[in-house]
Amino acid sequence: MAEHSLDKKLNYITIPIKTGYIKPGEPYKTIIHGAADLIEDGDFLVISETPISVSQGRLVDEAEFEPSIMSILLADLWSKYLWGYILGPIFRIKKRTIHNLRKLPPEARSHKRVILEYYGLKHALKPASEAGVDLSNVPGTFVSLLPDKPELVAMDIEDELLKSTGRRVTVMIIDTDASYELFGKKFTSLPIAVSGIKCNMGFFGYILGRFGSIIGPTPLGISKRHDLDKIIEIAKITEEYHEKNEMDMETVYDMSSTFDGDITDITVDMLDSVEHTPAVIVRIL
């Protein structure tokens, strides 16, 4: 367990929930079982969005999508060259992101086609991390879409934990894609977010974010209402835990490094061979 101090008033303890790989279509009850013996009344159970999406079977095989003229232009001209070499440095995006954009593989053309098909142009215009579609922690050429109705999922998990343990907790599903604040307004480029964060802004939210401040990862759904600033702080603590955990595969590049090979060759069995942390308990002391 790790203790974190956010401010002079509150301390937090983070408790990881370790599991095997949650396979496509497999119930997310493994997260509930993993948390049942560890949670206490008042805890927050914060779950990453990808295992929920995979559990729901929200996977798309990008190898089945033939690149269109628009997706080729978006991948090659727009993202790789304009953002990789000109707009990225101007807008001071992360050096790691600029590096990754400059070496975008041809498969990015099919990826842009998927984004166009499922989320539309305003999300496909974002140079990277479009619409929260995740390339990590999925096998082969698959990607995972955002989870369906994350707030209902959070409420279901809370109910199951209450039934099995008698403890009352708050369940939250988050995405590492950022939320921003500008002139007192909170927003995200992602298609969905909790109440109080303006969502579905796509590329336009991403650009506005360059002029605002990053407030943390984006809560997609939560099982009960809390002060929004508190929710975001809890999400930030969870993100901090994952960033410090060397075994976590937060990006497709982390996954490639873990398995030392072409990510399109990664199988479900390979993913199941390593430990996963789909959720973290955050306890306020």
Side-chain angles (χ1 to χ4, degrees):
M1 293 191 297
E3 184 175 329
H4 302 267
S5 178
L6 280 179
D7 55 38
K8 295 180 180 178
K9 297 178 181 179
L10 298 175
N11 287 324
Y12 294 78
I13 286 178
T14 52
I15 306 169
I17 306 300
K18 302 288 187 179
T19 69
Y21 181 64
I22 297 176
K23 301 175 181 64
E26 180 182 13
Y28 47 71
K29 290 187 182 294
T30 182
I31 299 174
I32 298 173
H33 295 154
D37 293 333
L38 299 171
I39 61 169
E40 295 181 0
D41 282 323
D43 284 350
F44 284 79
L45 178 64
V46 187
I47 307 172
S48 300
E49 92 289 352
T50 301
I52 299 299
S53 297
V54 173
S55 173
Q56 292 177 331
R58 289 178 59 76
L59 298 181
V60 174
D61 188 354
E62 292 192 332
E64 297 179 356
F65 285 75
E66 192 71 26
S68 63
I69 293 175
M70 176 63 78
S71 70
I72 292 171
L73 289 173
L74 285 170
D76 293 2
L77 178 61
W78 177 251
S79 294
K80 187 172 185 175
Y81 291 105
L82 280 177
W83 275 93
Y85 292 91
I86 301 173
L87 297 178
I90 289 174
F91 282 99
R92 297 181 181 179
I93 65 176
K94 293 179 181 178
K95 290 183 179 179
R96 183 180 70 174
T97 301
I98 290 175
H99 173 74
N100 293 338
L101 287 173
R102 290 176 178 178
K103 64 175 187 177
L104 274 180
E107 290 79 10
R109 301 166 183 172
S110 294
H111 179 68
K112 288 291 188 183
R113 178 70 185 272
V114 169
I115 303 302
L116 284 167
E117 293 287 334
Y118 281 90
Y119 295 103
L121 180 60
K122 71 177 176 182
H123 289 284
L125 281 169
K126 193 178 175 203
S129 299
E130 306 94 324
V133 173
D134 202 346
L135 288 79
S136 62
N137 288 296
V138 288
T141 54
F142 284 87
V143 295
S144 64
L145 307 178
L146 285 178
D148 184 40
K149 298 180 176 65
E151 185 167 302
L152 293 182
V153 173
M155 292 170 67
D156 177 59
I157 294 174
E158 180 189 333
D159 288 343
E160 290 294 325
L161 284 169
L162 179 60
K163 290 175 185 176
S164 61
T165 69
R167 301 184 182 96
R168 298 184 180 277
V169 301
T170 299
V171 179
M172 178 163 53
I173 298 172
I174 68 170
D175 191 298
T176 54
D177 272 29
S179 284
Y180 309 92
E181 186 166 10
L182 182 64
F183 302 127
K185 303 293 184 181
K186 295 178 175 64
F187 60 93
T188 180
S189 66
L190 288 173
I192 52 177
V194 297
S195 177
I197 299 177
K198 183 175 175 57
C199 61
N200 203 26
M201 297 180 68
F203 173 72
F204 307 105
Y206 181 71
I207 290 296
L208 278 178
R210 304 303 97 195
F211 301 97
S213 58
I214 296 176
I215 57 176
T218 303
L220 302 179
I222 191 165
S223 61
K224 60 168 65 79
R225 287 187 175 275
H226 286 275
D227 176 77
L228 184 56
D229 289 333
K230 180 178 180 180
I231 290 172
I232 292 170
E233 288 294 348
I234 296 292
K236 286 167 64 177
I237 281 291
T238 306
E239 182 180 50
E240 180 185 326
Y241 170 83
H242 285 298
E243 287 176 347
K244 290 181 178 179
N245 184 0
E246 294 180 355
M247 291 302 295
D248 280 6
M249 295 181 290
E250 292 190 359
T251 69
V252 67
Y253 301 100
D254 296 333
M255 194 166 70
S256 178
S257 175
T258 297
F259 294 110
D260 192 25
D262 191 331
I263 61 169
T264 60
D265 295 328
I266 293 172
T267 65
V268 168
D269 287 340
M270 292 170 67
L271 288 166
D272 199 31
S273 69
V274 298
E275 191 174 63
H276 294 263
T277 309
V280 175
I281 293 170
V282 179
R283 180 171 301 154
I284 303 172
L285 300 179

